[in-house]
């Protein structure tokens, strides 16, 4: 019998990075100053260089003090949540003193949270005294790919599972590539956004379902480069997610929650990979979804005629809303422009809204998109 022997690749980790794990520390998360600037600090006395990679801030080097603490203070920042990481002697790390983590299946980041100034109206994702909904986590084994997976369900304030007479509309909200089922509630603050909108009377109380959005987990195991090197893997991932959502997740939701089963009370939306999946499922299953949203869609098919054969002027009349958005510095803007042009050509009278905003491929946009999209849903 032949034996295949595999060894893990050797990875060089600088001593300065290894030493961070044993550093006693009380530096805490980045400090937000009175002018809304932020001061980053890292205790790394043995490091030669420390650099900051942060959304909205040019790549910059921190300065080392005599006490071995590296620091950098930004210019004043707009209220937002910024993902960032540190490069210590060229090795990317999360901030060891910051408990706010943006979890990801491939690369984690830390979060810089800049709040609204005192007295200013809160942003859509900032916690207020609004009544809070609840998050529920479900697990199951999918028949499609044979693996265990989960989905998160948001129920709005006042939801009573014993009141079968109340039937809520449902938004199926999909994450992007390399994220997991928790992304929309951790990085996206979807539950807070919905709490605030519902309390303000801007959105109907709704149930939001956030599933693990892969047709095959092989697309994640392959990583960014490996995925591109395997022809057909991305297409399989998009294709196989459809039966997972429609035949496995959706029936579980409708059996466990007081939700309407009418297509007029179902919406589907997502970001990046989830945007492409939302278009694929929504446009090919107009009998199930009347509301469709696609945020910064990534991995869109090259042949849209083949991908969405059922979308035309006749079927588009059944859609209540087709809402697409993308950032003006997003590398996917051209692909989204082309998809919107195709949709307009196929159904000029479709209720299509295309929004181009500032910024790029980031939750800084996607939080705002959800806050704009959700109030438009389930209008009578």
């Amino acid at each position: 019998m032949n034996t295949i022997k595999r060894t893990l690749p050797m990875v060089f980790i600088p001593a300065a990075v290894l030493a961070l794990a044993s550093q006693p520390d009380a530096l805490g998360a980045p400090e937000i100053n009175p002018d809304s600037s932020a001061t980053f600090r890292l205790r790394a006395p043995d490091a030669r260089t420390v650099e900051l990679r942060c959304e909205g801030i040019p790549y910059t080097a921190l300065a080392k003090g005599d006490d071995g603490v590296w620091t950098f203070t930004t210019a004043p920042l707009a209220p937002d949540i910024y993902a960032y990481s540190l490069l210590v002697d060229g090795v990317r790390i999360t901030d060891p003193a910051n408990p706010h983590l943006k979890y990801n299946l491939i690369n984690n980041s830390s979060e810089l949270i800049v709040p609204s100034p005192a007295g200013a109206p809160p942003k859509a994702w900032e916690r207020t005294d609004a009544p809070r909904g609840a998050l529920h986590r479900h697990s199951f084994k999918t028949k499609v790919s044979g693996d265990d997976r989960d989905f998160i369900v948001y129920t709005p304030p006042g939801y009573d599972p014993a009141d079968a007479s109340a039937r809520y509309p449902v938004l199926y909200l999909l994450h992007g590539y390399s994220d997991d089922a928790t992304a929309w509630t951790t990085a996206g603050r979807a539950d807070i956004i919905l709490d605030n909108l519902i309390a303000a009377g801007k959105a109907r109380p709704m149930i939001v379902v956030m599933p693990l959005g892969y047709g095959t987990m092989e697309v994640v195991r392959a990583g960014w480069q490996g995925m591109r090197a395997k022809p057909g893997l991305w297409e399989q991932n998009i294709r196989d997610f459809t039966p997972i959502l429609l035949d496995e997740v959706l029936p579980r939701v409708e059996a466990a929650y007081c939700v309407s089963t009418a297509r007029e009370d179902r919406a589907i939306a997502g970001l990046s990979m989830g945007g492409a999946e939302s278009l694929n499922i929504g446009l090919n299953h107009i009998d199930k979804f009347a509301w469709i949203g696609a945020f910064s869609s990534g991995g869109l098919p090259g042949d849209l005629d083949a991908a969405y054969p059922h979308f035309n002027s006749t079927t588009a009349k059944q859609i209540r809303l087709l809402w697409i958005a993308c950032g003006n510095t997003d590398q996917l803007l051209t692909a989204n422009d082309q998809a919107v042009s195709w949709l307009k050509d196929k159904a000029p009278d479709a209720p299509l809204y295309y929004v181009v905003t500032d910024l790029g491929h980031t939750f800084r946009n996607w939080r705002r998109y959800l806050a704009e999209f959700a109030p438009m849903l389930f209008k009578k």
Side-chain angles (χ1 to χ4, degrees), residues 97-151:
N98 186 354
H100 302 293
L101 185 70
K102 179 183 179 293
Y103 176 72
N104 186 274
L105 296 176
I106 294 179
N107 286 313
N108 295 330
S109 301
S110 296
E111 288 184 331
L112 170 65
I113 302 174
V114 180
S116 295
K123 296 298 182 182
W125 55 86
E126 292 182 311
R127 178 64 74 190
T128 67
D129 59 0
R132 300 187 181 188
L135 296 175
H136 317 261
R137 191 167 194 157
H138 299 260
S139 299
F140 70 101
K141 185 171 185 177
T142 172
K143 297 178 181 178
V144 176
S145 55
D147 53 62
D148 294 314
R149 54 182 58 211
D150 55 3
F151 61 93

Side-chain angles (χ1 to χ4, degrees), residues 154-172:
Y154 164 85
T155 53
Y159 173 80
D160 181 358
D163 183 5
S165 65
R167 293 290 166 177
Y168 288 80
V170 187
L171 166 62
Y172 289 84

Side-chain angles (χ1 to χ4, degrees), residues 180-203:
D180 74 349
T182 67
W184 264 113
T185 53
T186 53
R189 273 54 170 191
D191 53 324
I192 298 175
I193 291 170
L194 266 296
D195 287 347
N196 290 339
L197 290 173
I198 292 169
K202 295 180 179 179

Side-chain angles (χ1 to χ4, degrees), residues 25-378:
D25 172 8
L27 294 180
E31 179 183 358
I32 306 302
N33 302 307
D35 65 349
S36 292
S37 64
T39 299
F40 294 84
R41 296 183 178 89
L42 179 71
R43 192 188 309 280
D46 298 327
R48 297 187 301 275
T49 61
V50 177
E51 296 175 286
L52 173 69
R53 301 288 187 264
C54 182
E55 293 182 310
I57 300 172
Y59 287 1
T60 190
L62 279 68
K64 187 178 182 180
D66 294 338
D67 57 357
V69 175
W70 298 75
T71 62
F72 169 71
T73 298
T74 71
L77 298 169
D80 214 326
I81 303 173
Y82 302 82
Y84 76 94
S85 59
L86 298 164
L87 268 68
V88 179
D89 292 349
V91 176
R92 181 183 182 275
I93 65 168
T94 56
D95 189 338
N98 186 354
H100 302 293
L101 185 70
K102 179 183 179 293
Y103 176 72
N104 186 274
L105 296 176
I106 294 179
N107 286 313
N108 295 330
S109 301
S110 296
E111 288 184 331
L112 170 65
I113 302 174
V114 180
S116 295
K123 296 298 182 182
W125 55 86
E126 292 182 311
R127 178 64 74 190
T128 67
D129 59 0
R132 300 187 181 188
L135 296 175
H136 317 261
R137 191 167 194 157
H138 299 260
S139 299
F140 70 101
K141 185 171 185 177
T142 172
K143 297 178 181 178
V144 176
S145 55
D147 53 62
D148 294 314
R149 54 182 58 211
D150 55 3
F151 61 93
I152 310 296
V153 177
Y154 164 85
T155 53
Y159 173 80
D160 181 358
D163 183 5
S165 65
R167 293 290 166 177
Y168 288 80
V170 187
L171 166 62
Y172 289 84
L173 188 59
L174 312 180
H175 62 76
Y177 177 73
S178 77
D179 281 328
D180 74 349
T182 67
W184 264 113
T185 53
T186 53
R189 273 54 170 191
D191 53 324
I192 298 175
I193 291 170
L194 266 296
D195 287 347
N196 290 339
L197 290 173
I198 292 169
K202 295 180 179 179
R204 280 189 63 188
M206 68 184 76
I207 285 176
V208 183
V209 180
M210 295 157 279
L212 185 68
Y214 302 102
T216 170
M217 293 305 295
E218 178 60 27
V219 78
V220 179
R221 290 189 288 268
W224 291 100
Q225 298 305 319
M227 173 186 64
R228 296 187 178 99
K230 294 186 177 182
L233 180 59
W234 180 260
E235 291 74 14
Q236 176 193 350
N237 175 61
I238 299 293
R239 181 184 66 247
D240 288 356
F241 178 65
T242 298
I244 292 175
L245 181 70
L246 298 185
D247 301 335
E248 299 187 310
V249 175
L250 189 148
R252 284 177 166 83
V253 170
E254 295 186 345
Y257 292 90
C258 299
V259 299
S260 171
T261 58
R263 62 173 297 277
E264 292 80 8
D265 290 329
R266 284 202 206 106
I268 187 168
L271 68 89
S272 194
M273 176 186 76
E277 290 172 333
S278 295
L279 291 173
N280 180 61
I281 295 173
L283 296 179
N284 287 317
H285 298 275
I286 295 175
D287 60 317
K288 290 183 169 60
F289 298 94
W291 315 80
I292 303 169
F295 312 157
S296 314
S297 297
L300 290 167
D303 186 346
L304 298 178
D305 287 300
Y308 314 133
H310 309 296
F311 182 77
N312 52 53
S313 292
T314 301
T315 58
K317 293 177 182 178
Q318 302 175 60
I319 297 175
R320 300 290 301 276
L321 176 66
L322 178 54
W323 197 89
I324 298 175
C326 194
N328 58 11
T329 60
D330 194 321
Q331 62 181 354
L332 299 174
L333 180 61
T334 298
N336 279 260
D337 285 343
Q338 293 170 347
V340 168
S341 295
W342 182 90
L343 291 165
K344 288 180 177 178
D345 289 342
K346 284 292 181 178
D349 296 328
L352 172 62
Y353 295 81
Y354 185 34
V355 179
V356 177
T357 65
D358 292 335
L359 307 179
H361 205 70
T362 169
F363 266 105
R364 295 176 65 200
N365 264 337
W366 303 325
R367 284 184 285 267
R368 289 172 168 86
Y369 293 167
L370 178 61
E372 185 173 346
F373 177 69
M376 303 175 75
L377 297 177
F378 313 124

